[in-house]
Amino acid sequence: MKPAPFEYLAPRTVPEAVSLLARHGEEAKLLAGGQSLVPLMNMRLARPRRVIDLNRTQGLAYIREVNGALRIGGMTRQATLERSPVIGGRCPLLPEALALVGHPAIRSRGTIGGSLAHADPAAELPAAIAALDGQITATGPRGERTLPATSFFLGVLTTALAPDEVLTEIALPALPPRTGTCFLEVARRHGDFALVGVAVVVSRRSDGACGHARLVFCGVGPTPVRVARAEALVSGRRPDAAVFAAVEGLVRETLQPDGDLHASADYRREVAGVVARRALTTAWSRTNHG
Amino acid sequence: MAERHVVRLTVNGESVERLVEPRKTLADFLRQDVELTGTHLGCEHGVCGACTVLLDGDPVRSCLLFAVQADGARVGTVEGLAHDGLHPIQEAFHDHFALQCGYCTPGMLMTVHDLLQRSPSPTREEIRKALAGNICRCTGYHAIVDAVEAAAARLRAAPPREAAR
Ligand SMILES: Cc1cc2nc3c(=O)[nH]c(=O)nc-3n(C[C@H](O)[C@H](O)[C@H](O)COP(=O)(O)OP(=O)(O)OC[C@H]3O[C@@H](n4cnc5c(N)ncnc54)[C@H](O)[C@@H]3O)c2cc1C
């Protein structure tokens, strides 16, 4: 048998899950889709004494739309989101990013909350949720608190979640009219974590200029990296090929990725500029349909 | 020793009830407790795809799920594919020599089964993407893609009476 022995707990409600976490503290681990935790347990890199399985906890898997804003339960499966007509209609960035997360069999089980809580620096969903100005709700013994995605990710595999908190909901504000989005990445193989990826959200104002703009990268730092200066470069203008090329240059100069076994720092910087230009060009062209 | 749990589920349509330790993965459970050894284990961390089975109709890595979690579920394994002879996907793999050592084949078959249910006429590019999570170390990918195309055509012409459960 691969994992070390553990006690299995399957709370039926969120308060029950929270009180189990509070009681068992660092000895316990929440189990969502298991697509990151169970590999670590099989390799015994994680040896929780108690596993608190959220898969039988009620009220954590849902997609709700209220006036264009979305509320997504933490245990909503990646595959469910990918196929949801509501998500596809309101937020096509998510299915585009989700198609790049592992493989269908990974997304059958993997959850959005698990991906955010795990906070892999190369993961697609944290960058996408940050680019969408998402808000993350954590529920603990002292109740609920909500924080913006941008202050949720603190470092490699590290978030603002306290050890006794459950990530219960992700809220995405309604996008402005005429918004275009795009997620692009370069990976070694289809389904691998990104070497570099980018989530772009841009809106066209009624006067034809770009209003709202977000560019958030994955794979180039310990957390999702937002490049506000690139956003400022497009915002307020009618961006054209020259502006997109300027963004490419700025991104290449601004980002400071580390090199590793898979790609050198220089290569990542180069690719980040290119995917930024391409994704921005595509996202802007999509504002015509919004 | 952690407390054991009773697990009741159906495997290929048959009810199964066993007492298991929580740390037992569904893959080990199928192989050791249910004695269905068609589900293969390669990497045991979700990368290779050899252990892919269907859980309530969806493809999952059985190495990344504990058997206790499958309590009440419907599990489909490669042993459930064939009825009155090979399943059309298996036939196509056979005809196109889409296996060499055969180790990855059960996972390939289950993944292809899911693909063709969702997308009956995939392009070669789509087939390659769908199989990107199933690794064949004999690297016989061309023949596998050929077999999937042929299986898709056969299934469109004559869907099998009974699908895998
Ligand atoms: C072969 C393979 C390829 C993959 N490729 C990619 C990829 O390309 N891109 C990508 O982004 N991911 C990839 N993944 C990871 C996958 O997306 C995981 O599903 C995800 O990282 C974790 O989600 P989970 O629901 O499986 O969480 P789990 O594995 O169950 O949990 C992960 C961690 O988060 C904690 N946690 C989970 N849910 C909550 C919650 N609601 N509240 C608080 N804490 C929680 C757990 O305690 C654990 O520490 C891949 C995985 C595999 C096996």
Side-chain angles (χ1 to χ4, degrees):
Chain A
M1 235 156 323
K2 271 59 74 173
F6 58 83
E7 185 187 351
Y8 176 77
L9 303 161
R12 295 281 161 174
T13 65
V14 173
E16 218 185 302
V18 167
S19 73
L20 284 172
L21 263 187
R23 175 146 25 107
H24 298 300
E26 307 274 342
E27 282 199 339
K29 266 281 180 202
L30 291 173
L31 174 61
Q35 304 301 292
S36 294
L37 179 59
V38 181
L40 294 172
M41 290 175 66
N42 281 351
M43 292 185 266
R44 299 208 178 188
L45 294 170
R47 314 171 63 116
R49 299 275 297 276
R50 292 185 173 81
V51 168
I52 303 171
D53 186 0
L54 294 176
N55 287 279
R56 302 205 188 252
T57 309
Q58 278 147 30
L60 277 178
Y62 56 84
I63 298 167
R64 284 186 205 124
E65 191 207 324
V66 187
N67 300 328
L70 293 166
R71 292 181 174 276
I72 303 170
M75 279 297 290
T76 309
R77 307 268 176 216
Q78 294 160 1
T80 307
L81 285 171
E82 192 185 357
R83 295 183 193 133
S84 155
V86 175
I87 298 289
R90 286 290 172 191
C91 192
L93 181 68
L94 277 185
E96 199 171 24
L98 281 159
L100 303 169
V101 175
H103 314 287
I106 305 302
R107 303 195 290 272
S108 299
R109 295 295 299 171
T111 66
I112 182 169
S115 179
L116 300 180
H118 190 62
D120 190 298
E124 291 83 0
L125 291 178
I129 297 299
L132 293 164
D133 292 343
Q135 302 269 331
I136 294 170
T137 299
T139 305
R142 294 160 302 282
E144 285 186 357
R145 62 188 181 114
T146 296
L147 54 168
T150 37
S151 48
F152 179 77
F153 301 102
L154 302 181
V156 175
L157 308 183
T158 310
T159 69
L161 280 176
D164 57 3
E165 284 179 320
V166 180
L167 192 168
T168 42
E169 189 177 83
I170 297 95
L172 301 175
L175 294 167
R178 295 176 300 276
T179 292
T181 62
C182 184
F183 198 102
L184 264 190
E185 73 177 32
V186 169
R188 298 271 302 251
R189 282 165 298 263
H190 180 79
D192 277 12
F193 278 96
L195 290 180
V196 178
V198 67
V200 175
V201 178
V202 279
S203 306
R204 195 162 45 85
R205 297 192 314 221
S206 49
D207 66 0
C210 176
H212 178 83
R214 290 283 181 275
L215 269 92
V216 183
F217 293 82
C218 61
V220 296
T223 62
V225 177
R226 187 175 157 193
V227 182
R229 282 173 58 217
E231 297 168 2
L233 205 59
V234 280
S235 188
R237 299 204 205 179
R238 288 168 183 255
D240 55 14
V243 173
F244 299 143
V247 167
E248 173 174 354
L250 184 107
V251 164
R252 203 169 43 219
E253 283 152 32
T254 311
L255 291 178
Q256 299 188 316
D258 284 334
D260 63 17
L261 187 64
H262 304 291
S264 67
D266 282 346
Y267 179 75
R268 279 203 161 87
R269 217 171 7 244
E270 183 70 27
V271 169
V274 173
V275 291
R277 173 172 49 76
R278 290 184 188 159
L280 187 56
T281 307
T282 302
W284 182 250
S285 74
R286 289 174 177 172
T287 61
N288 292 320
H289 312 296
Chain B
M1 180 69 66
E3 195 192 333
R4 290 180 172 230
H5 295 250
V6 179
V7 178
R8 290 187 197 88
L9 67 167
T10 68
V11 180
N12 303 325
E14 286 185 24
S15 309
V16 169
E17 181 177 324
R18 299 281 189 281
L19 202 57
V20 296
E21 252 192 273
R23 63 172 163 157
K24 178 161 274 188
T25 63
L26 179 63
D28 282 342
F29 174 80
L30 291 169
R31 291 177 55 82
Q32 297 165 7
D33 299 58
V34 194
E35 296 181 29
L36 290 175
T37 53
T39 299
H40 290 172
L41 280 162
C43 70
E44 300 182 275
H45 60 276
V47 174
C48 81
C51 71
T52 305
V53 301
L54 302 178
L55 182 80
D56 292 327
D58 293 322
V60 300
R61 302 294 202 233
S62 59
C63 73
L64 298 185
L65 190 77
F66 297 112
V68 280
Q69 297 186 275
D71 186 41
R74 268 180 309 129
V75 174
T77 71
V78 69
E79 289 91 344
L81 278 182
H83 292 281
D84 318 323
L86 293 180
H87 186 279
I89 301 172
Q90 292 172 308
E91 262 174 18
F93 269 61
H94 180 244
D95 292 351
H96 288 266
F97 301 100
L99 57 152
Q100 292 176 45
C101 81
Y103 202 86
C104 69
T105 310
M108 291 279 179
L109 293 171
M110 301 318 278
T111 302
V112 171
H113 185 273
D114 174 63
L115 167 70
L116 297 183
Q117 284 211 320
R118 291 186 198 288
S119 159
S121 313
T123 62
R124 286 183 78 84
E125 184 55 30
E126 284 163 352
I127 295 169
R128 286 186 174 278
K129 266 193 187 171
L131 289 177
N134 290 74
I135 295 173
C136 167
R137 284 298 71 166
C138 307
T139 70
Y141 295 108
H142 286 291
I144 293 172
V145 177
D146 293 344
V148 178
E149 270 191 317
R154 275 178 217 187
L155 285 168
R156 286 195 304 270
R161 194 169 37 79
E162 226 176 330
R165 280 155 291 203

